[in-house]
Amino acid sequence: MTLTSPLSALLLAPLLLVSAATPPHPAPAPDANLSKIKLPAGFTISYFAKGVKSARELAVGPDGTVYVGTKDDKVYALPDRNKDGRADEVVTIATGLNAPNGVAVRNGALYVAEINRILRYDNIARRLKQKPQPAVVYGKLPTKEWHGYRYIAFGPDGKLYVPVGAPCNTCLPEEPIYATINRMNPDGSGLETYAYGVRNTVGFDWSPRDKALWFTDNGRDQLGDNLPADELNRAAGPGQHFGFPYFFAGDVADPEFGKGKSAATYVKPARKLGPHVAALGMKFYTGTKFPAQYRNQIFIPEHGSWNRSNKIGYRISLVKLDATGKQALSYETFADGWLQGQTPWGRPVCLLVLPDGSLLVSDDQNDAVYRISYKG
């Protein structure tokens, strides 16, 4: 009997039907939480990875592997080798670190920012599962935990930028490095302060048009539900002062430290954001898959208020700029639904534009990384 006989065809028919009905990589079932997320028409959201505990800053390597810092003690890698928009696995690169929030990639090396130091893992893509030993790039950052999460990124000038938040709600810091954004050479040398008067930024990016540094900043607490607004700032160059601890949101004087000071002395925000929304890891959308009106515009994850009478934030906002890329024209909601009533099930932290044009979003409450894509 040959395989082409009628009897063989009948015997094989059920197997062929089963094979045809079962795709090799079945799509995941609809998620109850993700179904709550509201997006503009044509956009979809899915899980890029689950089980990424306390996921914070995101970075991508040359091979497409996504790296995730955390407010816990671990750093993760999320490889997507088949490029299907879902991580193949969650790989723990390092453990026992001091809140390694910040991650950045340069020349195949992964830079990780703990509260007190910056590490470098060389040739990281080849050593994901080897628990590689890092080199210490810079080991003299302050150790105070208040506003101690470090967001890092390499600028157009090739330098590594790292903020040092104020060690308080509002105060005159005892050391000049507090409430600043700093930069250094990739080897840790040449540390210098780039921006002053920055209470707590956990997100910045550079304009694709003129390379100016833009950053979010969180306003002080204990001035009521609606004061002050969080800030989106534009630093046209080094040496500017953005107001802390004297003024917030450009025109709200600190009751103690603002006395006798002039708001005109300090750089005003490019845009006031919601009060206490905890604006974090902003990004310019530099991909080409989203519609034209989103390109080179600013997306801001709002982690969400923690001590406001009625919670706000817990969303991704969009700030649209004018044709020059220097003036903010509007501030609107792009994605929301992480807050249901007054109960949040997730808190967006950081964004990352992938080479395929999709947008990743980390969530340190739901321990996940989402992928937002446009299908039209």
Side-chain angles (χ1 to χ4, degrees), residues 73 143 207 247 313:
D73 72 331
T143 59
S207 168
F247 284 87

Side-chain angles (χ1 to χ4, degrees), residues 241-290:
H241 196 295
F242 291 84
F244 178 88
Y246 312 109
F247 284 87
F248 300 91
D251 55 8
V252 178
D254 186 89
E256 179 180 358
F257 301 110
K259 294 177 180 178
K261 301 290 184 179
S262 170
T265 306
Y266 311 105
V267 180
K268 295 185 182 302
R271 181 76 194 198
K272 293 183 182 182
L273 307 175
H276 310 296
V277 295
L280 298 184
M282 60 148 290
K283 274 288 183 292
F284 282 89
Y285 181 74
T286 53
T288 59
K289 297 300 183 181
F290 287 11

Side-chain angles (χ1 to χ4, degrees), residues 67 75 91-95 97 110 119-135:
Y67 300 94
V75 177
V91 181
T92 302
I93 297 173
T95 61
L97 300 181
L110 175 66
L119 309 175
R120 188 188 71 240
Y121 296 82
D122 294 323
N123 299 316
I124 187 62
R126 299 179 182 178
R127 305 192 297 158
L128 291 183
K129 299 184 179 181
Q130 298 176 11
K131 297 292 193 296
Q133 290 300 309

Side-chain angles (χ1 to χ4, degrees), residues 320-351:
K320 291 185 178 179
L321 307 177
D322 68 2
T324 70
K326 297 179 181 180
Q327 302 293 326
L329 299 178
S330 62
Y331 168 53
E332 60 195 63
T333 297
F334 173 74
D336 68 355
W338 285 276
L339 180 65
Q340 296 291 307
Q342 287 295 292
T343 303
W345 61 267
R347 304 187 76 182
V349 179
C350 184
L351 306 177

Side-chain angles (χ1 to χ4, degrees), residues 23-40:
H25 299 288
D31 182 85
N33 278 329
L34 288 191
S35 65
K36 301 170 185 175
I37 300 298
K38 298 177 181 178
L39 289 158

